[in-house]
Amino acid sequence: MTLRADSTVQLNNNISIPVIGLGTYLTQNGEEARQAVLWALEAGYRMIDTAAVYGNEEGVGAAIAVGGVPREELFVTTKLWNRDQGYEQTLAALGASLERLGMPFVDLYLVHWPSASEERTETINKRKDTWRAMEEICRSGKARSIGVSNFCVWHLEELLEYADIAPAVNQIEFHPFLYQRELLKFCTQNRIVVEAYSPLVK
């Protein structure tokens, strides 16, 4: 398979996600984020990934608004931060993200971590209530697809027991020095696309 900037993979809800995208972790809000996204769009990138905790959704959204690429040609991802997990909190958090992005919807909304612990130093499980809100978000059209990030096999097994809508994506660190074979196998068997972050290593 020859990969190009416009190569895509089909998710389990028949929506296509670009194979190559721009991640904006550690990109400062404002002109830095704006310029990075503009350059990426100019280079042919059509997937842009941000998150509430990155603090740069405004800059990402501002670039997309003036980038000259029709919104329907883009795939925009943002993520729910830990402290915002829970049913009502999740709904409110997406609303805030959409406002910062200046968009009526995102293409993919991810639960950033399986624990609601702010610093991930303890296990706080709000996953069931959070996923119920994620499903409502998906049905409303405010996110075309929903998924998770940094989930292990047992987190996914738990989620699939109560999910009406299965996650479309599990975004994880994945590269030659962290080749998560069993997790990849589980996701493949359950039609969950593995999306790699740090694929070229940090």
Side-chain angles (χ1 to χ4, degrees):
M1 178 181 178
T2 302
L3 293 182
R4 308 184 315 179
D6 60 353
S7 296
T8 62
V9 170
Q10 192 173 68
L11 302 178
N12 58 19
N13 59 357
N14 297 320
I15 289 172
S16 293
I17 181 173
V19 170
I20 300 171
L22 174 74
T24 61
Y25 177 56
L26 297 182
T27 305
Q28 292 297 309
N29 197 30
E31 188 58 22
E32 182 176 312
R34 182 178 178 277
Q35 195 59 63
V37 172
L38 286 174
W39 281 332
L41 296 177
E42 184 179 341
Y45 285 73
R46 293 298 179 262
M47 176 170 64
I48 308 296
D49 179 283
T50 183
V53 76
Y54 297 172
N56 58 23
E57 289 173 317
E58 295 97 333
V60 168
I64 289 172
V66 300
V69 179
R71 178 64 183 87
E72 61 270 18
E73 294 181 16
L74 297 175
F75 194 99
V76 179
T77 300
T78 194
K79 307 178 194 74
L80 172 75
W81 188 235
N82 303 347
R83 65 171 171 263
D84 297 322
Q85 287 196 36
Y87 180 75
E88 295 293 344
Q89 299 95 311
T90 297
L91 299 177
L94 177 64
S97 283
L98 292 176
E99 184 173 345
R100 289 189 292 266
L101 286 163
M103 298 176 184
F105 70 94
V106 290
D107 299 280
L108 179 62
Y109 194 43
L110 301 177
V111 180
H112 208 145
W113 288 90
S115 175
S117 168
E118 177 69 19
E119 300 299 332
R120 307 188 305 280
T121 55
E122 58 182 319
T123 299
I124 300 175
N125 185 354
K126 296 185 179 180
R127 290 186 287 274
K128 189 169 184 177
D129 286 343
T130 298
W131 195 252
R132 186 162 57 94
M134 295 289 284
E135 291 179 332
E136 183 171 324
I137 286 166
C138 189
R139 292 187 184 103
S140 74
K142 292 181 179 179
R144 297 174 68 221
S145 305
I146 54 175
V148 296
S149 182
N150 301 299
F151 273 47
C152 299
V153 170
W154 74 266
H155 296 124
L156 293 170
E157 287 175 332
E158 173 196 80
L159 190 158
L160 290 173
E161 287 182 2
Y162 52 72
D164 292 324
I165 301 174
V169 167
N170 185 19
Q171 186 184 95
I172 58 173
E173 184 175 354
F174 196 93
H175 49 70
F177 301 106
L178 186 60
Y179 192 87
Q180 302 194 61
R181 189 181 307 275
E182 290 306 312
L183 183 52
L184 174 62
K185 179 180 177 182
F186 181 89
C187 289
T188 301
Q189 289 173 339
N190 288 276
R191 301 184 63 220
I192 301 169
V193 167
V194 169
E195 183 181 14
Y197 67 78
S198 301
L200 302 179
V201 188
K202 295 179 181 178

